[in-house]
Amino acid sequence: EESLQMWDLNKRLEAYLARVKFLEEENEVLRAEIQSAKSSPAGDSWRVKYEEELRALRDALDHAFREKCTAELARDNLYEEVQQVKSRCQKEQAAREEAKKQLSLSRKELEEEKRAQIWLKERAVQLEKEVEALLEVHEEEKAGLDQEIANFSHSLESFRCAPVAFQPVEVEDYSKRLSEIWKGAVETYKKEVSQLEGSLCQAKENLWKAVEDNQQSQLQLQHLEKDLAGLKARKEMLEESLAQQWQEQRGEAEKFQLAMEALEQEQQSLRVQIARVLEDRQQLMHLKMSLSLEVATYRTLLEAESTRLQMPAG
């Protein structure tokens, strides 16, 4: 019975030893593979390649971030330029409105000057007619006075006894008075004519000034319209370039995001593989420890059995 038990234990021990030996060999093989993977140039190259790719991606990410910052600065600059263009357009619009107002005012002044000129012409014609009428009245009065003087001279010749010095003095005074009245009327007419001529010249000067201001306002309006068209074209160009840069930046950001997601997936898969290898190694270590404990137990049992068997024989 004891010999059968020993034979059974020996068989089990042989099986355990064979299994331990097989596991140790497999463990050695795995260890050698791990060491070779760690120390082999292929592993180093793979790791170096991975690190280089990771470094390149980081550099690309930094470059993309810098380009993003540059694009944001360019966008801010473009926004400021657009705001400046808008403010300039508003200013030029206000200047255009002011020029239109000045043009309308100058047109009104021109119309008023034309009306004043027409009124002055009519007034000059009226004054000329009045002067002609005054001249006709003066001629008639002069002819009447000549006729009266002639009649008076005939009456003087008929009445020789009358005093000679009294009547001619009255006629001379009357003629002097008439000449003074005529001179005053002529001077008044001359003054009115000179005033009318001065006001007419002033009206002509104001008319020429209004025409020149109108021409300058039209030229300024044309320049403002040209500047406004140029600013609108520049604004459209800046908006198109800004939209194009936004599209390019968005495409590059999407590409980098996809690349980062791929790298994260690859890193996750590598972590899973490393964890799996570490878990297998841990299992192998536990199995080795359990097998070494079993071997030590069987050795102690065999030694105890051998000492038990040797004691009676002694």
Side-chain angles (χ1 to χ4, degrees), residues 195-236:
Q195 289 178 359
L196 288 172
E197 287 178 354
S199 61
L200 184 62
C201 293
Q202 187 69 29
K204 286 181 180 180
E205 289 179 359
N206 293 327
L207 181 63
W208 281 110
K209 286 181 181 179
V211 171
E212 289 178 356
D213 292 334
N214 190 7
Q215 291 178 357
Q216 290 179 0
S217 300
Q218 288 180 357
L219 290 173
Q220 188 176 4
L221 185 61
Q222 290 177 0
H223 287 301
L224 289 173
E225 288 178 352
K226 289 180 181 179
D227 294 336
L228 183 62
L231 289 172
K232 285 182 178 179
R234 187 178 178 186
K235 180 183 176 182
E236 291 177 356

Side-chain angles (χ1 to χ4, degrees), residues 80-134:
E80 290 178 358
E81 288 182 0
V82 168
Q83 292 296 324
Q84 290 177 1
V85 169
K86 284 182 179 179
S87 64
R88 189 173 177 184
C89 288
Q90 291 176 358
K91 289 180 181 178
E92 295 203 354
Q93 188 71 24
R96 187 176 178 181
E97 294 293 331
E98 187 68 24
K100 285 183 179 179
K101 289 180 181 178
Q102 290 180 1
L103 183 62
S104 63
L105 291 173
S106 61
R107 285 177 180 173
K108 289 180 181 178
E109 289 178 357
L110 181 62
E111 290 176 357
E112 290 178 357
E113 291 293 335
K114 285 181 179 179
R115 291 195 191 96
Q117 188 177 5
I118 292 168
W119 180 81
L120 288 172
K121 286 180 180 179
E122 291 177 355
R123 182 67 176 165
V125 172
Q126 187 178 1
L127 289 172
E128 286 177 357
K129 288 180 180 179
E130 290 179 357
V131 169
E132 288 177 357
L134 288 172

